[in-house]
Amino acid sequence: MENCNNDFIIRDNLLCSGVRKMKDLYKKNPRLSQLLDQLCEQTLDQEGADEISSLVKNDSDARDYYVRYLEIHTSLYWDIALPVVNSSDASNEIQQPTGLDSRLQQLVDRLVCDATLDSTALLSNQIHDDASRGSDAVVRDGKTTFSRNWKYRLTGGVSLLALMLFGFWVVQNRPQLQQEQIAQQAATDGSLVEEKTVINTTPSDHETVKPQSKDDLPPRLPDIKWHGNPLVHSNSPLPNDNSSENDTPIVNDNPALTDDDKIVSAINDRIHQGWVDQSLSPSPIAEDHEWVRRVYLDLSGRIPTSREVKLFVNDKRSGRERRLVDQLIESPEFSMHWSTRWKNLLVGRSPNARVDRFALQKYLRDAIAKDRPWSVIVSELISAQGDPRKNGAANFLVAHLNNQAVPATAFVARTLLGTQIHCAQCHKHPFYETTQLQFWELNSFFKQAKVIRNEGDNKTKASYYLTDKPIGGPTFYETRSGLMRVAYPSFNGHKVSDDKLVSRRKELADLLFEKGNPFVAKAFVNRTWSHFFGHAFTQPVDDLGPHNPPTHPELFETLSQSFVACDYDIKRLVRWICLSKPYRLSSRSIPGNQQDAPDHGEPPAFSRMYFKPLTAEQLYDSLVAVSGSSPQTDQNWEKHIRLRESWSLQFVNALNNDENGESEHFQGTITQALVMMNGDLMNQTISLDSKRLASVRTDASVSDLDKFEAVCLSILSRKPRLEEIALFRKLTRQLRDANSPTERKQMLAGSLEDVMWAYLNSSEFIVNH
């Protein structure tokens, strides 16, 4: 392995030093270069494959160039370095690899690694030819070892000879990508072509993705089957790896539901079936104190007050959970919390001079409060125009319309459609059938969008305006081989006119919700489920696709279809999840479900509630709630938002990359610990000036133990345990030494302040469980 790694280092150094020679070879072999580009881009037909085979067999210089070219390009497509065979030698059937084929592949892999072959396998084929060319071959211990300069030629020659003898397939499929080499290889590939060629096409004949059939493509090696493209929806079921073409297709038995009780029952049944399949036992139902704290944090973004906890616990009527969920969903705090969550997803937390974050949150808050469908919100986010200070929806694209709208394309796909296609801007997606062309077809919808900057004067700041330019035509992009190509607006197989009078963003907004398109619904359902359980149906939450199947596909499909059937109703989706049995379970694991550990890489079975660290906004609002303030009312919510954002900024760093990314260092960091131990907000919360607990801590008519219980209920939403009561009594023994009632009151207040500080810095407080 060490020798192999050393050879890879030597190879990389040689590749860098040989770039100039590659340019000369590219010009010297224009036809072969064109065919190899088609091979890497998977547009090569059988006629081209035959032509490559003829060129590299009959011309040693062409063979040398062929091996060097594929040595460079196969970091992304490493197994296409197997030479192309003649169509007459190729099998017409796609066969499974035999033991002989496996040995052949191992032979090629070994050649690429160290280029050391047994001399008896080479003497009859290569020694004389290499000697005539001045090869510096050395025979040591019965093996012939060639210098690195001849290893490329040797690898290609032996690979060609082996494939000609065994007569197997053209490698035309996309192999598994080695992701750690993407950035380095993309930079190397861009330097291979000195002169760029523009291929002129029209909307009727520009490059399209050809269907891969046995009639128009060479035979293929067996490949990992991702079955499709996440940006192209098909109603046909996914084939099973063991199924044949004659098998009966799978019928979708997950129809959309519109009755709330039936949907909740579907959640319970599907999750329960997963427990049975995995031989898991669910945790018991959560205690009232645990569940009421959980639902307040998830729906209102803060912990409940002691009064709110008592109201729920003391309510013995049936249906109290449904009443509380309905009450919280219809409260202003729900709109505030969910608008905050989506504002951070859409534009991040970092300051941006072009973005009015408050205007965006106001737009989202009003839309959620007025029960506007998610489909309408998404359409307005994509098609919005005007001043972002007046039209809050415009802030989403204003934040990402830079770098030829590449960040906007990636953000729309990832945040609103749930697919990560950003790497397809440079090359074919490594995990599913998303091509570079399809990325730029989606990007072409934002070709007209433009942010206009209006300079301010000494008294006013610069302002921005989002509009569409009256331009048409294609979007130009560059392939990995340096060719310039064109893309026209197209989504999910539907092409849009490239006329300058057509608003492409409005057309995209309509296409997203065309009948049968599941993209937006599935992305929102997956994110919403993740918000409540800490884990989504897929990991990561924004990488849906055939390569990343959900843990509970039937339930995921039912929820997504029901969400669409119920007109993308956000509050109904939230209600379904909060009233389900899995959401009601305790966070305490039992012996029967300890293997349900998604934090350790296992797929979540939702047999218990998983721990969810509080966000910076949840922590801020909870500290404010403990102190006794009620900031999220209609009168002062704007002031509260600005103060909270200012406090949260200490945990955020902008990455300043081409994807407008940022990093958050809030959960479990030194910064968080320092803020919680001695920050200004913490000191205000535990001081005697705090409104909610000050009177309790100083009221002489209330016993010491009742005061301690009030503190525990206000911070942890539960009564103190027996061991905590014992510790508190031990802490307050010193009160017996007080010389006066006033001194005793001050000593007790100090002890209660210490208790509050300890509870607020406990893991129980900063985790939603």
Side-chain angles (χ1 to χ4, degrees), residues 29 82 147 165 225 252 301 363 433 526 549 628 631 733:
N29 301 273
L82 296 175
S147 67
L165 293 173
K225 300 177 182 179
N252 183 9
Y363 162 77
E433 299 296 328
N526 206 33
R733 286 176 184 173

Side-chain angles (χ1 to χ4, degrees), residues 85-101:
V85 300
N86 190 280
S87 60
S88 61
D89 299 329
S91 173
N92 293 327
E93 299 291 337
I94 299 178
Q95 306 173 13
Q96 296 298 323
T98 63
L100 185 61
D101 309 328

Side-chain angles (χ1 to χ4, degrees), residues 21-171:
K21 184 174 182 180
M22 284 295 297
K23 292 181 179 179
D24 296 336
L25 291 172
Y26 196 97
K27 296 178 182 178
K28 185 178 180 180
N29 301 273
R31 179 54 182 166
L32 180 58
S33 300
Q34 183 181 4
L35 292 171
L36 291 177
D37 289 343
Q38 294 176 9
L39 175 61
C40 280
E41 295 167 7
Q42 300 204 1
T43 59
L44 185 70
D45 55 17
Q46 184 61 60
E47 182 179 353
D50 295 341
E51 188 173 353
I52 291 181
S53 179
S54 175
L55 288 173
V56 300
K57 289 178 182 178
N58 300 325
D59 188 338
S60 59
D61 291 335
R63 181 168 63 250
D64 180 83
Y65 172 57
Y66 169 74
V67 176
R68 289 175 179 272
Y69 181 99
L70 292 180
E71 177 75 1
I72 291 177
H73 283 262
T74 51
S75 285
L76 292 180
Y77 298 84
W78 68 274
D79 63 0
I80 67 171
L82 296 175
V84 180
V85 300
N86 190 280
S87 60
S88 61
D89 299 329
S91 173
N92 293 327
E93 299 291 337
I94 299 178
Q95 306 173 13
Q96 296 298 323
T98 63
L100 185 61
D101 309 328
S102 177
R103 292 194 299 271
L104 173 61
Q105 183 65 54
Q106 294 174 6
L107 173 63
V108 176
D109 291 344
R110 183 166 61 85
L111 289 175
V112 174
C113 181
D114 56 17
T116 302
L117 296 176
D118 190 277
S119 59
T120 60
L122 293 174
L123 288 174
S124 62
N125 297 287
Q126 290 292 332
I127 296 298
H128 299 294
D129 179 69
D130 290 328
S132 64
R133 296 176 180 273
S135 170
D136 49 351
V138 180
V139 179
R140 296 194 183 112
D141 299 329
K143 290 189 177 182
T144 303
T145 304
F146 294 88
S147 67
R148 185 63 191 177
N149 191 38
W150 289 93
K151 290 178 184 179
Y152 297 103
R153 197 169 299 174
L154 180 59
T155 301
V158 174
S159 300
L160 278 170
L161 177 61
L163 284 178
M164 289 169 59
L165 293 173
F166 296 111
F168 282 100
W169 311 282
V170 175
V171 179

Side-chain angles (χ1 to χ4, degrees), residues 491-539:
F491 180 78
N492 195 28
H494 296 276
K495 299 179 181 179
V496 174
S497 172
D498 64 317
D499 188 270
K500 66 179 182 180
L501 299 180
V502 175
S503 176
R504 299 187 182 186
R505 290 192 289 134
K506 290 182 179 179
E507 292 292 330
L508 176 61
D510 293 338
L511 287 175
L512 290 179
F513 301 98
E514 190 179 47
K515 185 177 180 180
N517 284 356
F519 308 108
V520 175
K522 286 189 173 183
F524 188 82
V525 167
N526 206 33
R527 283 191 181 276
T528 303
W529 187 273
S530 174
H531 170 77
F532 287 104
F533 288 95
H535 292 275
F537 291 114
T538 63
Q539 180 61 33

Side-chain angles (χ1 to χ4, degrees), residues 212-468:
Q212 296 182 349
S213 67
K214 292 183 290 185
D215 296 328
D216 59 0
L217 287 180
R220 297 180 54 176
L221 286 175
D223 191 16
I224 299 175
K225 300 177 182 179
W226 300 127
H227 302 304
N229 186 332
L231 292 182
V232 178
H233 173 59
S234 173
N235 291 321
S236 60
L238 298 181
N240 188 287
D241 288 342
N242 298 323
S243 63
S244 65
E245 296 179 358
N246 298 325
D247 289 343
T248 303
I250 301 173
V251 179
N252 183 9
D253 58 351
N254 302 288
L257 303 174
T258 56
D259 181 84
D260 290 352
D261 292 335
K262 290 183 179 180
I263 297 174
V264 173
S265 296
I267 296 175
N268 297 339
D269 294 342
R270 297 299 187 188
I271 296 296
H272 181 268
Q273 186 60 48
W275 300 337
V276 174
D277 294 341
Q278 300 182 52
S279 301
L280 295 173
S281 299
S283 294
I285 298 297
E287 297 178 355
D288 290 345
H289 295 87
E290 181 182 4
W291 187 82
V292 70
R293 183 179 191 270
R294 177 189 306 164
V295 76
Y296 265 91
L297 280 168
D298 286 339
L299 298 184
S300 299
R302 63 168 178 84
I303 61 173
T305 64
S306 58
R307 177 179 176 275
E308 291 167 337
V309 173
K310 291 178 180 179
L311 284 175
F312 177 77
V313 173
N314 296 332
D315 186 0
K316 303 304 180 181
R317 298 172 296 169
S318 62
R320 56 177 182 165
E321 291 88 355
R322 182 184 295 271
R323 287 193 297 274
L324 179 58
V325 168
D326 290 341
Q327 171 192 330
L328 295 179
I329 286 177
E330 298 301 331
S331 69
E333 290 180 309
F334 176 80
S335 303
M336 175 76 71
H337 176 52
W338 280 72
S339 61
T340 297
R341 180 172 176 269
W342 272 97
K343 174 192 65 178
N344 293 338
L345 286 172
L346 293 172
V347 299
R349 291 182 173 91
S350 302
N352 187 330
R354 305 201 305 181
V355 175
D356 190 327
R357 296 171 53 80
F358 172 74
L360 175 59
Q361 176 143 10
K362 184 177 186 301
Y363 162 77
L364 294 171
R365 175 178 178 266
D366 293 345
I368 295 173
K370 295 176 181 178
D371 296 331
R372 301 186 70 191
W374 181 245
S375 57
V376 174
I377 297 175
V378 170
S379 296
E380 292 178 350
L381 290 172
I382 291 177
S383 61
Q385 297 193 44
D387 188 342
R389 295 173 300 182
K390 298 178 181 179
N391 183 4
N395 286 279
F396 172 53
L397 286 183
V398 167
H400 305 298
L401 276 176
N402 59 291
N403 190 23
Q404 201 178 347
V406 167
T409 308
F411 262 79
V412 167
R414 188 177 67 193
T415 308
L416 302 180
L417 305 181
T419 58
Q420 296 187 14
I421 64 169
H422 50 280
C423 65
Q425 64 181 291
C426 299
H427 55 82
K428 185 177 179 180
H429 199 284
F431 297 138
Y432 41 69
E433 299 296 328
T434 299
T435 64
Q436 188 180 13
L437 172 64
Q438 288 168 321
F439 176 91
W440 289 101
E441 285 177 340
L442 180 60
N443 173 271
S444 187
F445 283 99
F446 304 100
K447 178 183 178 67
Q448 298 170 325
K450 181 180 181 180
V451 178
I452 301 175
R453 174 186 171 96
N454 298 317
E455 297 293 340
D457 52 28
N458 295 332
K459 298 181 179 180
T460 60
K461 297 181 180 179
S463 61
Y464 299 89
Y465 194 89
L466 176 61
T467 185
D468 282 341

Side-chain angles (χ1 to χ4, degrees), residues 651-688:
F651 306 112
V652 179
N653 288 329
L655 298 180
N656 296 321
N657 56 15
D658 59 356
E659 295 179 6
N660 301 337
E662 65 181 20
S663 63
E664 178 188 357
H665 50 93
F666 171 70
Q667 299 170 358
T669 61
I670 296 178
T671 305
Q672 180 199 32
L674 292 175
V675 169
M676 292 300 295
M677 286 191 296
N678 198 32
D680 292 339
L681 183 59
M682 171 64 73
N683 293 332
Q684 294 172 12
T685 302
I686 65 177
S687 69
L688 287 175

